Amino acid sequence: MSRRRSLETIMSSELVTISELVQLSGMRYSTLKYYAEIGLLPFEQLDVGLVRRYPREQSLQRLGEIVLYKERDGMTIQDIIEHYHAK
């Protein structure tokens, strides 16, 4: 079992775990996992079975965009997926 990192350490890290991303974003674990599985939240994984690492700044920016698209623009998850694939 690994030790939890301090918020200060997490905030200075380039890559974070999904649990740390939950802590930073305030979003539910299941939501972030779903976004990763459908390709909205990019991650790095060196080998099968290893912990996925998420680029902290990019992930937080992407999550903020998703929230805006959903709340402000009324987009569905499918609309958002299509938006990112069109880029």
Side-chain angles (χ1 to χ4, degrees), residues 18 21 30-44 52 54-55 58-59 62-63 65-66 69 77-87:
I18 194 167
L21 199 51
S30 59
T31 300
L32 298 183
K33 186 173 180 185
Y34 174 68
Y35 288 168
E37 289 173 359
I38 63 173
L40 285 179
L41 194 58
F43 61 87
E44 297 177 14
R52 294 176 177 180
Y54 299 83
Q58 179 186 7
S59 296
R62 174 66 61 91
L63 291 171
E65 291 170 357
I66 291 169
Y69 291 144
I77 292 297
Q78 187 59 43
D79 293 336
I80 296 169
I81 291 168
E82 291 171 8
H83 169 77
Y84 282 113
H85 286 263
K87 283 185 172 183

Side-chain angles (χ1 to χ4, degrees), residues 5 11 14-15 17 25 27 38-40 42 50 54 56 58 65 67 74 82-83 86:
R5 301 192 302 171
M11 289 301 295
E14 184 179 331
L15 299 172
T17 66
S25 69
M27 298 179 95
I38 63 173
L40 285 179
L50 294 180
Y54 299 83
R56 181 181 49 80
Q58 179 186 7
E65 291 170 357
V67 168
E82 291 171 8
H83 169 77

